[in-house]
Amino acid sequence: MSEQNKPEENLEPVISEEALRKAEEFIEEEEGAANKLSGWLAAFVTFTAVAMSTFHLYTAYGIVATQTLRPIHVAWVLFLGFLVFPVAQRYRHRIMWWDWILALLSVAVAVYLIQGGDDFTDRNTSPNSWDIFFGVALILMVMEVMRRTNGWIMPVITSAFILYALFGAYLPHPWTHKGYEVGRLIGHMYMTLEGIYGVAVDVSSSLIILFTIFGAFLQYSGAGKFYIDFSFSAMGGKPTGAGRTVVLASFLLGGPSGSGVATTVTLGAVAYPMLSKAGYEKNAAGGLLAAGGLGAIISPPVLGAAAFLIAEFLKISYLDVLLMACIPTILFYLALFLMVEIDARKFHMHELLIEKVDTVWHLTRQYWYHFLSLISIVAFMLYGFSPVLSVFWATVVSFLTSFLRSDTALISYDLFRRKGALLPLIFKSPFIKAMEGGSIGVLNVAATCAGAGIIVGVVTLTGLGLKFSSIVIDLAGGSLLMTAVYTSLVVWIVGLAVPVTASYIICAVIAAPALIKLGVPDFAAHMFIFYYAVLSEVSPPTALSPFAAAAITGGDPYKTTLQCWKYTVPAFLVPFMFVLDPSGQGLLLMGSTKALASANWWSIAEVTLTAAVGIAALAGGFQGWALIKTNLLERWMLIIAGFALVYPTSAADMIGFGFVLAALGLQFLRRNSAPVAPA
């Protein structure tokens, strides 16, 4: 991949319309293939989506009872889901009569529940015929919207859990349970806050949608473009400049978006030509782009939707989750930076003059307020605001600061000058598009949360979580290490088929109890599962981020996936550190803001340094390069050292540091003894 060996056609790469179209298809696979409507249908959907965003912004500040908010939220999601996403590809870009019927039925389900009041809830153990009718209709509609937005896998898995609840009496030990009738199951799923309207929908209705609205405000105010321009300007001019630009831009873009595929495609469309000119071949460039997109899901201040669920499951503040994510996120991007640095030396990449939009300082002076929008969320939470109010006021900050420049204003200045017809100006304004995008963007996640509520309801009703944890612990022979390995494999396998949010929810209720039963703190167990659920973004057959990157670069999807693994594997061994030994929990800052005051900062610094050295050793071992190209002995010494340093015990650390020093010493001697090549 050196300059002299590069194919000539890669010197001026062009991303074709076909490549971009394929990349968009991967976004649609993750977020659903939405209709592109026109005329009064488009206006109606826009009006409905804006009304949904307005309602949820009101609930952030006003008081709406939980028993009312959750059913209304699900009704909005189902109503828009049936109108925005077609039943099949051949019916795309139009709304069929059955879509209208299902949309109206979704409203009827919520109205029936809310009007029923306390009497409705009290009869959940013995529902009447109408209760069962509307409950069955709700379950079927949730699974249909899940299918339209996320494909067949989640409805199939959800159906399997329902069958388990109905026919558990016929299963062999240890899976058997007494079994539940349809009425009892419907009462639990529809008439209580333990099923569809459970924790996942609670988080979706109160937090996730507010963050999607916030992300849409940033997008339509030009924050995304600024983050890319800022990264290009700050990182250009060095052999590692192209790779560093991707890493920095993916972090800035990923923070507000929380979507791995969207970040990969957005950045890849503008960054791939630069990577190719710098010396990256197609699969390596795609792997780096996908790895950067993966960081979007684990990067504060937004993370992915699963992070909000962690806070709700653990009954801690979202700020605590942000704190727990800080050091692992730093270590993840450290791994990417190290891989980029090694790439530049390993493949003899040359300096690349990036055509800068402007100097970094000039850009910052003009658009500094886009950073303020990100920082304000954490600032409000530190000031004592709840996460809901923090993102609400951060959205207000984003809206107000957008008017500091006319080219970022969410409402056109022409509206205030009243040039032209008023209604079209309002309808076409970025503000309306942001309000619409906030609601449309949450539909696939919210549908997944509703479907996951069915799974959680079955687990709580049947006690499946405790059964599964006992099976895992017995299989591992009571070993914490083997239990963690089996748990990571379970999460990874589940993540092969379902999105990150669903993977986390399923495994949080069936797999986390196994780790907790062996003494792992609940916050460490849930963060462990969260990080391995994220692997679904880069794991075939649902490796959407690498596949989208391959569509842009023209590389092989599976080779791109392997390259992505190369970039990310060092950082994904870190979660073992905070479940295998109490000292490793320092990487999570003890999981609580209250604990920070009494935290042993030396212990936290020590475990962080150990993790960083372990990541560096693994990066060098996997790449086959440290000070110079490694030989077989040095490579294996670095890999063994990396795994040893990830295992948080004193003996393992001594072995790890010893192997690192020995490998570097051998490299130093070989480099100094190598003959100087003639000029």
Side-chain angles (χ1 to χ4, degrees):
M1 201 160 58
S2 62
E3 183 180 3
Q4 58 267 36
N5 294 329
K6 266 192 313 183
E8 184 66 28
E9 62 268 19
N10 283 345
L11 292 177
E12 293 293 337
V14 177
I15 301 175
S16 66
E17 291 294 329
E18 178 67 15
L20 292 176
R21 185 188 63 79
K22 287 183 179 179
E24 289 295 329
E25 288 178 358
F26 286 105
I27 295 181
E28 290 181 349
E29 188 173 341
E30 182 183 57
E31 302 178 0
N35 289 321
K36 292 181 174 64
L37 304 172
S38 59
W40 72 270
L41 286 176
F44 178 77
V45 168
T46 297
F47 174 80
T48 306
V50 171
M52 179 179 176
S53 292
T54 303
F55 169 76
H56 283 88
L57 286 172
Y58 164 76
T59 62
Y61 210 83
I63 298 176
V64 178
T66 297
Q67 294 83 351
T68 302
L69 174 60
R70 298 184 195 181
I72 290 178
H73 175 71
V74 173
W76 278 115
V77 170
L78 296 179
F79 186 87
L80 276 174
F82 287 121
L83 300 185
V84 172
F85 300 99
V87 66
Q89 187 72 23
R90 64 178 178 272
Y91 298 111
R92 198 173 176 190
H93 309 317
R94 49 185 167 152
I95 301 176
M96 306 304 294
W97 60 267
W98 53 76
D99 296 324
W100 288 108
I101 292 176
L102 292 172
L104 293 174
L105 181 58
S106 64
V107 175
V109 167
V111 171
Y112 179 79
L113 184 156
I114 294 171
Q115 286 188 338
D118 292 338
D119 291 340
F120 175 83
T121 305
D122 291 341
R123 62 174 183 266
N124 71 83
T125 55
S126 55
N128 61 37
S129 299
W130 281 109
D131 298 338
I132 294 175
F133 169 77
F134 282 112
V136 170
L138 176 63
I139 290 174
L140 293 176
M141 288 190 296
V142 166
M143 289 200 287
E144 170 60 10
V145 173
M146 275 199 302
R147 184 194 67 81
R148 294 189 185 196
T149 56
N150 293 298
W152 279 101
I153 299 297
M154 270 299 288
V156 169
I157 292 175
T158 305
S159 300
F161 274 86
I162 292 175
L163 292 174
Y164 174 75
L166 294 173
F167 302 107
Y170 302 99
L171 296 175
H173 180 79
W175 302 102
T176 186
H177 63 85
K178 68 177 185 178
Y180 294 89
E181 297 178 352
V182 173
R184 180 70 180 91
L185 183 63
I186 294 301
H188 188 73
M189 296 297 171
Y190 173 47
M191 304 173 72
T192 72
L193 298 181
E194 301 295 329
I196 292 175
Y197 301 123
V199 170
V201 164
D202 178 35
V203 175
S204 174
S205 63
S206 60
L207 262 180
I208 295 176
I209 186 169
L210 294 180
F211 273 92
T212 60
I213 294 171
F214 172 67
F217 271 60
L218 288 180
Q219 175 188 349
Y220 284 98
S221 65
K225 181 180 183 302
F226 164 70
Y227 296 146
I228 293 177
D229 291 345
F230 176 85
S231 301
F232 276 42
S233 297
M235 295 295 179
K238 295 182 179 180
T240 55
R244 288 179 178 180
T245 297
V246 171
V247 175
L248 177 59
S250 65
F251 172 74
L252 294 174
L253 281 174
S257 77
S259 171
V261 178
T263 302
T264 299
V265 172
T266 301
L267 186 57
V270 295
Y272 170 59
M274 174 188 65
L275 290 172
S276 182
K277 291 178 183 178
Y280 283 85
E281 57 92 24
K282 294 178 179 179
N283 298 315
L288 179 58
L289 290 168
L294 189 68
I297 310 175
I298 63 172
S299 299
V302 177
L303 292 97
F308 308 117
L309 293 160
I310 294 174
E312 188 63 27
F313 274 126
L314 297 179
K315 302 302 178 185
I316 61 177
S317 75
Y318 182 64
L319 182 58
D320 289 334
V321 179
L322 292 185
L323 284 171
M324 289 194 290
C326 282
I327 294 178
T329 299
I330 292 171
L331 293 174
F332 177 85
Y333 281 101
L334 171 65
L336 290 190
F337 269 111
L338 288 172
M339 288 294 194
V340 166
E341 294 289 334
I342 293 173
D343 280 342
R345 292 158 177 77
K346 182 178 179 180
F347 300 116
H348 308 291
M349 293 179 179
H350 50 279
E351 293 186 6
L352 177 68
L353 179 61
I354 299 174
E355 295 181 5
K356 301 180 181 180
V357 177
D358 212 334
T359 65
V360 64
W361 297 115
H362 191 221
L363 273 173
T364 305
R365 283 199 304 270
Q366 287 183 309
Y367 299 102
W368 58 271
Y369 48 88
H370 288 313
F371 287 128
L372 179 64
S373 299
L374 287 180
I375 297 171
S376 61
I377 295 180
V378 179
F380 284 124
M381 282 192 280
L382 289 173
Y383 192 71
F385 285 31
S386 68
V388 172
L389 279 179
S390 295
V391 68
F392 172 82
W393 285 114
T395 305
V396 173
V397 169
S398 176
F399 174 74
L400 294 178
T401 55
S402 73
F403 293 100
L404 292 176
R405 289 182 59 87
S406 61
D407 57 333
T408 64
L410 284 169
I411 298 178
S412 172
Y413 285 6
D414 290 338
L415 180 64
F416 302 105
R417 303 187 189 106
R418 296 196 175 243
K419 292 182 179 179
L422 186 61
L423 188 59
L425 285 174
I426 295 175
F427 191 80
K428 295 179 181 179
S429 68
F431 171 74
I432 294 297
K433 292 180 180 178
M435 292 286 281
E436 178 187 16
S439 289
I440 300 299
V442 81
L443 295 181
N444 68 319
V445 176
T448 300
C449 287
I454 298 173
I455 295 173
V456 173
V458 170
V459 171
T460 57
L461 190 64
T462 62
L464 177 61
L466 295 177
K467 291 184 179 70
F468 187 84
S469 63
S470 298
I471 292 170
V472 171
I473 292 173
D474 291 342
L475 185 63
S479 166
L480 177 57
L481 173 61
M482 293 310 301
T483 301
V485 170
Y486 289 147
T487 301
S488 66
L489 290 175
V490 168
V491 181
W492 179 56
I493 292 170
V494 171
L496 295 179
V498 300
V500 173
T501 304
S503 176
Y504 166 74
I505 295 173
I506 294 170
C507 296
V509 295
I510 68 170
L515 293 172
I516 295 171
K517 188 179 290 187
L518 290 178
V520 177
D522 54 1
F523 63 84
H526 280 259
M527 289 297 285
F528 180 86
I529 287 172
F530 168 63
Y531 278 101
Y532 278 96
V534 170
L535 278 175
S536 65
E537 285 284 328
V538 293
S539 303
T542 56
L544 297 182
S545 291
F547 281 31
I552 290 176
T553 65
D556 179 86
Y558 290 96
K559 290 181 180 178
T560 300
T561 301
L562 292 176
Q563 288 289 330
C564 184
W565 277 0
K566 178 193 76 173
Y567 284 111
T568 58
V569 160
F572 276 101
L573 291 175
V574 171
F576 277 94
M577 295 189 71
F578 49 75
V579 298
L580 296 181
D581 192 85
S583 64
Q585 293 158 22
L587 293 174
L588 301 177
L589 297 178
M590 306 305 180
S592 172
T593 51
K594 296 179 182 178
L596 290 180
S598 58
N600 186 340
W601 288 103
W602 171 252
S603 175
I604 293 173
E606 183 180 10
V607 72
T608 302
L609 177 63
T610 301
V613 175
I615 284 175
L618 288 171
F622 284 125
Q623 286 272 49
W625 194 280
L627 301 177
I628 56 175
K629 183 178 180 180
T630 61
N631 57 33
L632 185 61
L633 173 63
E634 294 162 351
R635 187 168 192 172
W636 276 107
M637 289 175 71
L638 289 173
I639 292 175
I640 293 172
F643 279 100
L645 290 170
V646 165
Y647 195 85
T649 63
S650 299
D653 289 348
M654 290 179 64
I655 294 172
F657 281 115
F659 272 112
V660 168
L661 292 174
L664 292 179
L666 291 174
Q667 288 246 302
F668 182 78
L669 292 174
R670 285 203 301 119
R671 186 177 67 174
N672 288 345
S673 62
V676 179

